[in-house]
Amino acid sequence: MSKYQVPRGTQDVYGKEIKKWHKIEQLIREMMQVYGYEEVRTPEFEHTEVFARANDSSDVINKEMYTFMDRGERSLSLKPEGTAGLIRSFVENKWYTQPDSPFKYYYVSPCFRYERPQKGRMRIHHQFGIEVLGDKTPYIDAEVIGLGLTFVRTLGLNDLKVLVNTLGDQESRQAYKDALKKHFEADIHTMCGDCQRRYEQNPLRILDCKVDAEHASMLSAPRLQDYLNDESKTYFNQLVSVLKDSGVEVEISDRLVRGLDYYTHTVFEVVSVNKDMGSQATVFGGGRYDQLVEELGGPKMSGIGFGMGIERLLVALDAEGVELVQDE
């Protein structure tokens, strides 16, 4: 037995498995051409501030990034997700000056997160993602969700449910954050260290905690829907209506916040309900972001997208018994 082995949370892909990857990648490129999305490839590492902006409270940024100093004493980070690097490229190369709005891009890229490896969750994983920039309507949101569904169903997945929520606009989110700070104030000292950090950085992120999910204060927390202004309510109701009219059954999940701080308004996850998937059931997810382009130096422009882990997708296909590649 060789004394050299792959690092924990990584894997070699070869033989029949690599053929499955080829099949998925081929469908990605075929569908993206049909839907008019342009491929973008960004570096595997970026300046750390591309990902870690302002007072970001997400676990991805605070606990999971691979960050290092290069020989010029510059802080660099391996990309933990695909959106921020693509938006950096969008702004740096001034693609927003082109006349063909909305701008539609896709990527297939390795991403790097230091977390406990599990089935379908690797420290090096590969994401297929799309981004639509420059057009903020519920119809675009529904198109993005529908495209992801079409893709996974074309591969053969059926045991799925669609979870949607809204984080509202900036005014709504601020009102809700204020309510959460007041609600958790008396009990935050009894909650986990991450929740205490999130309380100071972004109390909305507390709702994503798995450690304190059954804490009494968590179970009695106020609902974001009660703090939405009329504009945010109308936008979300229109999205749900558009999805249902297009044949997509949705479940409104009022605790769904997603794992990154830049999301606004629409957030969604498509999860497997197959019993063999266990806790790692999300097949793809994403949402809308109103400030990210501007934060990275571009014009005020909203965007929406999703990320889909290919390793997780393969686990879901196996759970449903889908054979992408036949034995020879």
Side-chain angles (χ1 to χ4, degrees):
M1 176 176 159
S2 172
K3 65 178 181 179
Y4 300 108
Q5 299 180 341
V6 296
R8 186 166 184 250
T10 68
Q11 64 178 342
D12 298 317
V13 183
Y14 56 91
K16 184 177 179 180
E17 283 300 304
I18 198 69
K19 293 179 182 178
K20 295 179 183 179
W21 285 70
H22 292 164
K23 191 90 170 181
I24 291 171
E25 291 164 358
Q26 179 183 357
L27 181 61
I28 289 171
R29 288 176 170 82
E30 289 174 353
M31 281 192 62
M32 292 301 96
Q33 185 173 8
V34 170
Y35 280 84
Y37 284 72
E38 179 180 348
E39 183 177 10
V40 176
R41 301 187 186 188
T42 59
E44 270 62 51
F45 59 85
E46 300 264 4
H47 293 288
T48 299
E49 56 267 28
V50 171
F51 306 115
R53 298 171 309 280
N55 192 27
D56 196 298
S57 66
S58 65
D59 284 353
V60 172
I61 303 305
N62 282 274
K63 298 167 64 177
E64 298 173 4
M65 283 210 305
Y66 284 91
T67 297
F68 58 96
M69 301 298 290
D70 72 0
R71 292 184 179 182
E73 294 300 304
R74 293 170 290 251
S75 180
L76 301 173
S77 295
L78 300 180
K79 69 165 75 168
E81 52 93 15
T83 299
L86 189 147
I87 300 304
R88 188 271 313 150
S89 184
F90 177 80
V91 172
E92 181 177 353
N93 294 294
K94 295 184 172 58
W95 296 336
Y96 53 81
T97 62
Q98 299 172 7
D100 48 352
S101 178
F103 308 99
K104 297 183 176 183
Y105 306 103
Y106 80 96
Y107 59 86
V108 180
S109 174
C111 294
F112 308 82
R113 296 184 187 181
Y114 187 86
E115 54 187 345
R116 184 169 63 87
Q118 300 177 51
K119 186 178 180 180
R121 173 182 281 185
M122 308 292 288
R123 288 178 175 171
I124 300 178
H125 69 281
H126 296 75
Q127 277 192 7
F128 158 46
I130 70 171
E131 314 292 345
V132 182
L133 306 170
D135 197 355
K136 182 181 178 181
T137 73
Y139 296 95
I140 289 292
D141 297 14
E143 176 187 312
V144 167
I145 296 170
L147 192 159
L149 279 171
T150 298
F151 176 78
V152 296
R153 285 173 174 163
T154 299
L155 285 171
L157 288 186
N158 292 300
D159 298 342
L160 303 167
K161 67 177 177 179
V162 181
L163 306 178
V164 295
N165 192 23
T166 179
L167 302 179
D169 61 9
Q170 191 167 1
E171 177 186 72
S172 300
R173 281 196 314 285
Q174 190 57 54
Y176 187 49
K177 287 177 182 179
D178 292 343
L180 287 174
K181 289 208 77 165
K182 184 176 181 180
H183 172 79
F184 286 115
E185 184 177 13
D187 294 323
I188 192 64
H189 68 283
T190 68
M191 302 177 77
C192 74
D194 283 333
C195 281
Q196 293 178 39
R197 169 178 56 80
R198 293 162 179 160
Y199 180 83
E200 299 298 333
Q201 290 182 300
N202 180 3
L204 192 131
R205 182 68 52 205
I206 295 174
L207 301 177
D208 203 31
C209 181
K210 304 300 186 291
V211 175
D212 287 319
E214 300 301 319
H215 192 286
S217 285
M218 191 79 83
L219 296 176
S220 61
R223 298 169 68 251
L224 189 149
Q225 280 74 9
D226 295 331
Y227 294 86
L228 296 175
N229 57 26
D230 289 341
E231 179 185 353
S232 297
K233 289 179 182 177
T234 298
Y235 191 97
F236 185 61
N237 290 337
Q238 287 178 344
L239 169 63
V240 173
S241 178
V242 170
L243 286 168
K244 290 183 176 179
D245 288 346
S246 63
V248 177
E249 289 299 319
V250 301
E251 178 181 318
I252 297 174
S253 177
D254 58 12
R255 292 295 177 90
L256 177 63
V257 296
R258 294 293 296 157
L260 293 159
D261 272 2
Y262 52 63
Y263 286 120
T264 59
H265 281 290
T266 304
V267 288
F268 60 89
E269 288 185 355
V270 174
V271 302
S272 171
V273 295
N274 189 284
K275 60 181 177 58
D276 293 331
M277 284 296 288
S279 63
Q280 301 302 314
T282 302
V283 179
F284 70 93
R288 180 164 287 286
Y289 42 89
D290 283 350
Q291 282 83 45
L292 186 57
V293 176
E294 194 171 8
E295 284 180 3
L296 288 172
K300 188 173 180 58
M301 179 180 291
S302 186
I304 185 170
F306 68 66
M308 181 184 303
I310 294 179
E311 289 85 352
R312 183 80 57 80
L313 177 59
L314 286 165
V315 172
L317 290 165
D318 285 344
E320 291 197 33
V322 177
E323 289 289 343
L324 288 182
V325 177
Q326 301 300 318
D327 291 324
E328 297 178 354

